[in-house]
Structures are given as structure tokens and as C-alpha cells.
Amino acid sequence: MEKQKIRSAGGKVGVLLPGMGAVATTFIAGVEAVKAGLALPIGSLTQLGTIRLGKRTDDRVPRPKEFVPIAELGQLEFAGWDPIADNCYEAARKAGVLEEKLLEQIRHRLEPIKPMPAVFDTRYVKKLDGPNVKKGANWMELAEQLREDIRRFKSEKKLDRMVMVWCGSTEIYLEQKPVHESLKAFEAGLKANDPDIAPSMVYAYAALKERVPFANGAPNLTVDFPAMTELAKEMRVPICGKDFKTGQTMLKTVLAPMFKSRMLGVAGWYSTNILGNRDGEVLDDPESFKTKEVSKLGVLEHILQPEKNPELYGNIYHKVRINYYPPRGDNKEGWDNIDIFGWLGYPMQIKVDFLCRDSILAAPLVLDLALFLDFAERSGMSGIQEWLSFYFKSPQTAPGLYPEHDLFIQLMKLKNNLRHAMGEELITHLGQEYYA
């Protein structure tokens, strides 16, 4: 296979983060702790994963960062926006995810990172507010202010490239409307302050106009509509899915493929969460919760394909709940009750209690997405990057194409994409060559 032409990974890379709350500060502090030799980048595929090359007998299993030319952690510079003006150290302390002892050791690296005034509107996130907010006549004017922020950050830090990863809150549920159907309509909507345009869309528009790759860590309607796909293609910029796949949904994309592969029926799946951080407070608003609910509910339908196996999955009762519970902080608990049935229809149950740390699971995903999006841009990849579905509850795909949610199919897709880019043979797992 022919190796793709890939620009050098050298130089400084800016990571832009709309939303400087628990996820963003845990990510930044974690990278700084790893750079300082204080911790390991656990959970990061780029840093600790492996990728098999050639036959199993070849014993070629480098780490992704050794196999493909991706930026090193020391090349990363951070900036972001937030309606709350706390610097990165203060925000990390208030988030309560990381221990004070660790934060004090990297305090000098975190305090200089101060959020720029945000594009923010309480109509779209009703449980959050703050004074560090941009003013403008319309969405387009605010987008131009963001573009100026991006250019200034690039100049001040002498950056070669940038990526943007949305780490902000879940916005209210919005459906695709005429304003989203074309770039022309969307830009007219920006100038007209169309209420069907949310702040996250303004960030995405600004990023793509500056040729900055964009990933969406929340379930908002942000880049997954025709106008943004059109812009990404026009500017030759990669985009991907939405809503980080971390706790409960990650487990669903492991367990559901098991049921389907063994032809075990599913009668019901009840999921509930308790969460006490800023995200939990925002999701306490029914309109924001609906955005998250739609993202979470779609996973089972796509994996189990009830229309193809109606006798096994045609009558699933699937319920998702998220409850704001302040004492738990960032330590989320996801509880699942799964009613399944097997041979001759006999019922069985599985119960899962996942006591996880939301931002600890999300932070390495931010790192991987930043590094892989930068790699994609240097490789000439633009538009929808379905190979990055591995990281999202709602992978973005071409119109009319259903998404793959199975975690292991997604991982195979990701690794084969890397093999293809580097001119290596794709892995099919047929295994016949060992028995010829």
C-alpha cells in the first residue's frame, strides 16, 4: 500500500477549549503533570495503546505515537473561553477532580492560562451564568471576535497549527432547521441572530473559518448539519462526532454487541446516573437533558438493529435518567438494570454499578482527539472523520449512512485508518495465512 503524504508534526500546536470547567482543566493539568514526570497518561490510546502491524508472528506492535507522526505533549499550548473568569488553577481546584497536592506541583503552569471572554447565552444553558462574556450586535460579530482570539493566540504563542475541542456545557435541544441547510443560509442566520443558532455553532464556525479542526465533546447540534459539513469541505478542515463516550454509554457499546453477537434478546435497559459537577447541574434543566438523552438513546438502536431482529430487540423498553446530586461532585455513578432473555425465551438479568470519575475518563479523549485531528489535517483529510467514532456517543457520518457504535469495530476502524495512512497492510483477522 502507498503511504500518504503527511506534513511534519514539528512545531507548536495550540489546543483551544471552549468551556474551561472540570473536563478542560483536568485535561490541561493532566498533560502538564505528565510532562513534569508526575503521572502517566492512562486512558490515552495515542500515548499507551499499541497497534499491530503485519502478521501476528511479525511481533510489530508499536504505540500509535511511535507509528504515526503525531505531536508530542511538549509541543502543546492551551487556551480557552469560559463565562467564569477563574484561571486554570482556580477552576481545577473548584472542580474538585484532582488532588490539591498534584495541583500545587503544577500551579505555576496552570495559573497563566486564563479564559478569554466567552460567547455565551443563558437561553441555551439555563443553569449556568458568569460575567466573562463577549458583547456583540449579532452572532456573526461574536464569531469575528472569536476568530480574532484565535489569530491572537496563534501569534502570541508562535503556533504552527491549532485544533479546537468543545468542552463546554450541554446546550438545550435544537433540531435541524432551514438555517442549517446551507452555508449561505447559516451565515445569513448569524447576521440575523437566528435563535436556532447556539453558541457552540458560533465557535465551530469561527474555528472552521480559521482552518482549525473541530471536535465536539457535548451532545449539542454543533457541526453535524449540512452547513458545517459544507464549510469543513470548503476550508479543507477535519470534523468528527459529538459527545464524549466515557462512562455508561461506553459500557453499553461493549455489552450490547455481546448480546447481539450471541443472539441474546433484550427486553429492557434502565439506566440512571447521579452526578454533582457543573455538567450535572446543567443537565438538571429538562431542555439540556433532552439533548443528552437523544445522544444516549440512539446507541442501542443502532447496535441491536431491532428492525432486523424484531423477535429479540423489537420491544425493548429503554429508559435513561440523569439526576443532579451535588455531594457526589465529579464522581459519577451510573447504574444499569438490563433484562435479557435466552434459549427458549428464559429471562435473565445483568446489573452494572459503575462508580466512575467523569472528567478522568474524558480528559484522555480530549488529548487523543487533539492529536489525531492535527494528524488528520496534516495528512490532507478534511470533512467528516468517521474513523474517530471510537471517541463519541454520536459519531458523525455521511448523510444516509448509519453510525457504527460497537466500541471494538470503532477501534478496528481507527487503527486501520492509521495503517492505511502509513502504507501498511490492513488487518482483516481472517488468519488463513497461518494455516496454508
Side-chain angles (χ1 to χ4, degrees), residues 22 93-98 273-281 322-333 356-360:
R93 282 194 65 217
K94 288 182 180 179
V97 179
L98 302 175
N273 300 264
I274 55 174
L275 178 63
N277 62 11
R278 188 195 293 185
D279 193 32
E281 185 175 9
I322 298 176
N323 299 292
Y324 179 50
Y325 182 59
R328 191 57 62 93
D330 196 69
N331 296 340
K332 181 170 70 174
E333 183 169 359
C356 59
R357 296 174 180 261
D358 215 35
S359 300
I360 293 296

Side-chain angles (χ1 to χ4, degrees), residues 91-103:
R93 282 194 65 217
K94 288 182 180 179
V97 179
L98 302 175
E99 295 178 352
E100 290 274 355
K101 181 180 178 182
L102 176 64
L103 290 175

Side-chain angles (χ1 to χ4, degrees), residues 40-49 360-361 363-365 368 390-391:
L40 291 172
I42 295 171
S44 168
L45 177 66
T46 59
Q47 305 302 301
L48 296 181
I360 293 296
L361 291 169
L365 275 57
D368 283 356
F390 179 70
Y391 296 101

Side-chain angles (χ1 to χ4, degrees), residues 392-414:
F392 298 107
K393 292 186 185 73
S394 298
Q396 191 168 351
T397 62
L401 184 65
Y402 72 83
E404 272 294 356
H405 283 284
D406 182 318
L407 186 72
F408 300 106
I409 292 177
Q410 291 174 332
L411 181 60
M412 188 185 303
K413 185 188 295 284
L414 187 154

